[in-house]
Amino acid sequence: MNLAEIKAIIASIEPAEDETDRLRQYAAVLNEISPSPELADKTARLLAERLNI
């Protein structure tokens, strides 16, 4: 999966209202995306930003 695809997936996520649920979303999406090592940090930062965590 490339960065453009990862960004599209992250942009499509509707953050949960509850912080605990957002943390669960974070873990589930990272597990689903399984970014390559070179994209892992960028993916984690983009996802955290989208979920406001």
Side-chain angles (χ1 to χ4, degrees), residues 5-8 11 14 22-24 27 33-34 36 40 46 52:
E5 293 169 322
I6 290 171
K7 285 182 175 183
E14 190 62 42
R22 289 194 308 270
L23 291 171
R24 287 186 185 119
I33 293 174
S34 299
S36 64
L46 289 170
N52 297 315

Side-chain angles (χ1 to χ4, degrees), residues 19-41:
E19 183 177 6
T20 301
D21 291 338
R22 289 194 308 270
L23 291 171
R24 287 186 185 119
Q25 279 182 301
Y26 178 84
V29 171
L30 274 184
N31 188 45
E32 179 183 324
I33 293 174
S34 299
S36 64
E38 40 298 326
L39 294 177
D41 288 340

Side-chain angles (χ1 to χ4, degrees), residues 3 7 11 25 42 48-49 53:
L3 188 57
K7 285 182 175 183
Q25 279 182 301
K42 179 109 176 136
E49 183 179 309
I53 54 174

